[in-house]
Amino acid sequence: EWYDGTVSFGTNRSGEVTLPADYTFDPFTDFGTHTWVDGVTFTALGLFTVNCTDLDYGAWGELMDIEVVLTPAVIDHFVVEGIESMWEGNYSDVTVTAYNDYGNVFNTYEGTIHFSTDATGAYELPADYTFTLVDAGVHTFLAAVMFEEAGTFSVTVEDTIVPTATGTQTDIVIGGVPYADSFVLESDDSTVPVDALFSATLTVLDQYGNVFDKYVGTVQFTSSDTGAILPADYTFVVGDAGVHTFVDEISLSAAGTWTVTVTDTVDSSLTDSVDMTATEGGWQEIDLTVYDMFGPSWGEWWQLRTDYYTADWVLNSATGQNTMVFRPLRSKNVPEKYQQIIYAPYRMSVEGSNVSDINTDTPLFMPRFGPAGVAGADAVFDIYFEYLDQAWWDGYWIPTWGSEPDFDDTFYPGANDGYYVGVVYNVTMNQEAAYALLNMPTGSDPATWWTANGDTYTDDWLSWIENQGDVAYDIYCGYEWDYEPFNTWADLTDLGGGQVELTIGHLVWGYEVLMTRWLSASGLCEHENWWEDFQLDATLDEAQSNITADGVVQYQLHAVRQNASAGTEGAWVFEATNIDYITQPGHPSDYTLYETLMYESWNAAD
């Protein structure tokens, strides 16, 4: 009884039985005897042996021929499923599956079940049912469940003898019979020319947000533009299926923003409106033209890049054959391991006519510091940028801005890749546009006003464009750098006849990326590539603008291999380079979705 040894348990069928952990006897409490309550658990059927070994003194003993048999299964729970969410008054099937206490389908279950629900209105459920061996534990009740009220309900099944054996299907959504609940009026165009016919589509929705295809009501159009041409009253037919387009049946009579409204002639709560802006002139039109492939020559910046990175080779600089190669996976340790992309230049132009989103109220390419809605405002924008070269530096920047107190005549592209952008603004404005854009009151003497306000305007312009680059349009992932201006100078010239010209010289990193962002956001050019030798001309009034942009951009060519279904021959693919080329937390990038994408490809430079 004073035994104080340590014992360890074992079995002849390891992995099929759980045994107590090693135990050291306490002579003062055990007195040579210890019981492990529920200490052994068998997880398989058959004969087992359990032994016990003294780890200190070598004593040993075992219990043999322990027979483990299967306890007869009993009902444990049910799974209730298959009741559809449906309209009130409709019927649905329901399936009940019985499970035993071993977690298996109870295929010999012969008990009786009872149905219940938490619905308070009228409903129908299956009567009590006694399973048979033919059911094999699963029974489907056809068209047996119905609710006559809308709501979200549950249906429960329980064994009539073993009430703890239950099962429930929840979240059964019963809807009321659909009816016309709302109108949605839409037009493909938010801006239209005055007196031009345009289309609008009316969609009728039910109370669940679905198209109500049984609507046969009559609708009537009205507008805040009393001179508008509107569709005649229209009665929906079954063939409309809840949607009808009024093709070229609406026009607005005057410039401005007007509301077009449609209403059910019986139920005035069925109504919707759309705001439409009418402008003088024609329809907005945007044309993109790609031309002069391989034609434009590279600027001095490319040779600077080649010398600095030693990874870029100019293959051909002959007229009409300009080509270069960039090797992104060049390895210092394995210099012969390259994956090459060939770049080819071309020119692209963008022409936007009657562009209503860009005007003297929202000039996009420069700030508006004056009031909105200045009638009669007219401005002409001339914006040019390219990477600086020595001839341009000597021929424009020094003669034009060299007398400025903070001008440094050191040629900027003296290091790395030469990506120093020179940007020149020339904006001609009448007095009204100068009031809107510069906040120079009409009637002011331009020279006097500029002497008093020029420095402040230049500082404010610089703050505005830095915010555009770093916040509003966030160029970081297109340049791997924040927007960084080196210097900005501005001057205002009185041209006479109520016209002034604002000239801005802007030396910067990142303006080409910002211009790409602007063109993309305005819808003028969603082809986000690098521009060089870029010229933009625009005429703006208080309602709209006409814009032409043209510059050198790049295509990349890379080798691909056809897939197995088409053969294994190689080919060259032209792809537009995208100005986003990195990802960075906190900055938007077109490549964020693909940052972690890994795959094998036959293609170079994928």
Side-chain angles (χ1 to χ4, degrees):
E1 63 184 13
W2 301 110
Y3 175 66
D4 61 355
T6 300
V7 297
S8 179
F9 289 87
T11 180
N12 66 328
R13 295 176 62 175
S14 178
E16 297 180 323
V17 58
T18 302
L19 300 171
D22 293 357
Y23 179 76
T24 300
F25 275 70
D26 186 337
F28 299 103
T29 58
D30 289 324
F31 302 110
T33 302
H34 187 81
T35 300
W36 286 265
V37 179
D38 294 332
V40 180
T41 302
F42 298 95
T43 59
L45 305 179
L47 294 176
F48 288 81
T49 296
V50 174
N51 59 62
C52 182
T53 303
D54 179 281
L55 300 178
D56 298 311
Y57 306 109
W60 181 84
E62 67 178 358
L63 180 61
M64 302 177 60
D65 297 331
I66 306 168
E67 184 177 8
V68 178
V69 298
L70 185 66
T71 301
V74 296
I75 186 64
D76 181 77
H77 69 279
F78 301 96
V79 170
V80 183
E81 57 190 349
I83 305 175
E84 298 177 354
S85 294
M86 54 190 173
W87 307 125
E88 58 190 15
N90 285 4
Y91 285 84
S92 173
D93 301 344
V94 58
T95 298
V96 178
T97 304
Y99 284 82
N100 59 31
D101 52 341
Y102 293 99
N104 302 317
V105 175
F106 196 176
N107 53 18
T108 59
Y109 177 64
E110 295 182 283
T112 300
I113 60 172
H114 174 74
F115 286 82
S116 62
T117 179
D118 56 357
T120 58
Y123 58 84
E124 291 184 22
L125 298 173
D128 291 0
Y129 176 76
T130 300
F131 276 66
T132 67
L133 293 177
V134 175
D135 289 319
V138 182
H139 188 82
T140 297
F141 303 84
L142 299 176
V145 178
M146 183 273 291
F147 297 89
E148 291 187 1
E149 63 174 332
T152 302
F153 306 116
S154 61
V155 170
T156 298
V157 165
E158 69 175 45
D159 185 281
T160 57
I161 303 299
V162 185
T164 58
T166 65
T168 301
Q169 179 177 341
T170 60
D171 298 325
I172 304 165
V173 179
I174 305 301
V177 175
Y179 58 84
D181 181 69
S182 61
F183 282 175
V184 176
L185 183 64
E186 298 173 296
S187 175
D188 290 338
D189 304 289
S190 60
T191 302
V192 297
V194 170
D195 294 330
L197 291 172
F198 62 92
S199 304
T201 299
L202 174 59
T203 303
V204 184
L205 302 180
D206 63 24
Q207 69 270 42
Y208 307 107
N210 302 314
V211 176
F212 183 50
D213 57 8
K214 296 180 175 59
Y215 178 74
V216 289
T218 300
V219 299
Q220 184 178 72
F221 281 81
T222 57
S223 176
S224 58
D225 175 11
T226 57
I229 295 176
L230 301 170
D233 291 1
Y234 177 77
T235 301
F236 273 65
V237 297
V238 173
D240 288 321
V243 181
H244 186 79
T245 299
F246 300 85
V247 179
D248 291 339
E249 294 189 48
I250 309 171
S251 71
L252 300 171
S253 65
T257 299
W258 309 98
T259 299
V260 176
T261 302
V262 62
T263 306
D264 184 281
T265 56
V266 175
D267 182 358
S268 61
S269 68
L270 294 175
T271 186
D272 193 31
S273 299
V274 61
D275 290 332
M276 303 294 300
T277 299
T279 62
E280 299 290 351
W283 287 95
Q284 176 171 299
E285 181 176 340
I286 298 174
D287 295 319
L288 303 179
T289 303
V290 172
Y291 65 101
D292 203 7
M293 181 68 72
F294 300 98
S297 58
W298 304 107
E300 293 182 13
W301 59 274
W302 184 254
Q303 189 59 51
L304 289 167
R305 178 185 175 90
T306 303
D307 294 342
Y308 184 79
Y309 288 108
T310 69
D312 309 321
W313 292 343
V314 175
L315 299 182
N316 198 329
S317 57
T319 302
Q321 300 177 28
N322 286 281
T323 323
M324 70 185 96
V325 65
F326 171 57
R327 297 168 290 153
L329 296 185
R330 180 172 179 266
S331 170
K332 293 181 180 179
N333 297 325
V334 190
E336 69 277 7
K337 181 181 179 182
Y338 303 129
Q339 285 193 343
Q340 300 178 348
I341 298 176
I342 293 180
Y343 285 154
Y346 63 102
R347 295 197 73 93
M348 186 169 74
S349 66
V350 180
E351 294 187 31
S353 303
N354 305 309
V355 180
S356 61
D357 292 337
I358 302 175
N359 50 54
T360 52
D361 275 355
T362 55
L364 185 62
F365 309 109
M366 67 179 289
R368 174 178 59 79
F369 291 139
V374 179
D378 290 300
V380 177
F381 282 40
D382 178 352
I383 302 174
Y384 180 79
F385 73 77
E386 66 171 295
Y387 298 113
L388 291 178
D389 61 75
Q390 188 70 60
W392 194 35
W393 181 254
D394 295 338
Y396 171 78
W397 292 94
I398 293 177
T400 305
W401 304 109
S403 61
E404 294 291 331
D406 54 354
F407 186 85
D408 180 1
D409 63 1
T410 303
F411 180 49
Y412 274 80
N416 64 38
D417 54 17
Y419 284 167
Y420 290 84
V421 181
V423 182
V424 178
Y425 273 69
N426 288 294
V427 184
T428 303
M429 297 165 279
N430 63 7
Q431 291 184 351
E432 291 78 10
Y435 184 31
L437 298 176
L438 309 182
N439 202 27
M440 184 177 78
T442 57
S444 299
D445 176 68
T448 302
W449 184 87
W450 186 254
T451 299
N453 298 280
D455 290 343
T456 299
Y457 177 84
T458 305
D459 291 342
D460 291 345
W461 188 93
L462 186 57
S463 296
W464 168 82
I465 202 164
E466 286 189 271
N467 180 268
Q468 291 281 289
D470 292 335
V471 179
Y473 294 95
D474 197 348
I475 70 165
Y476 194 97
C477 292
Y479 204 72
E480 202 170 6
W481 205 272
D482 293 324
Y483 192 88
E484 183 170 340
F486 299 115
N487 223 325
T488 301
W489 305 280
D491 195 14
L492 187 70
T493 303
D494 186 355
L495 301 179
Q499 300 283 308
V500 296
E501 181 180 43
L502 174 69
T503 303
I504 298 175
H506 187 50
L507 296 177
V508 67
W509 273 353
Y511 183 87
E512 72 278 52
V513 187
L514 178 57
M515 176 57 71
T516 294
R517 292 278 197 265
W518 279 336
L519 295 176
S520 178
S522 66
L524 287 169
C525 181
E526 297 181 11
H527 183 59
E528 287 211 353
N529 52 7
W530 288 85
W531 293 91
E532 152 75 337
D533 189 22
F534 177 89
Q535 178 75 49
L536 183 144
D537 298 296
T539 59
L540 285 69
D541 60 29
E542 70 270 25
Q544 59 187 14
S545 60
N546 295 310
I547 298 172
T548 299
D550 185 89
V552 176
V553 288
Q554 296 174 17
Y555 263 112
Q556 66 182 26
L557 298 83
H558 69 152
V560 300
R561 180 184 177 190
Q562 298 179 37
N563 61 36
S565 63
T568 59
E569 294 80 9
W572 286 96
V573 169
F574 283 86
E575 290 183 328
T577 55
N578 185 290
I579 205 159
D580 281 349
Y581 70 102
I582 66 163
T583 61
Q584 175 74 12
H587 298 277
S589 173
D590 283 349
Y591 293 120
T592 299
L593 293 175
Y594 311 105
E595 182 178 22
T596 59
L597 180 65
M598 302 294 292
Y599 68 104
E600 290 187 5
S601 173
W602 290 334
N603 302 332
D606 274 356

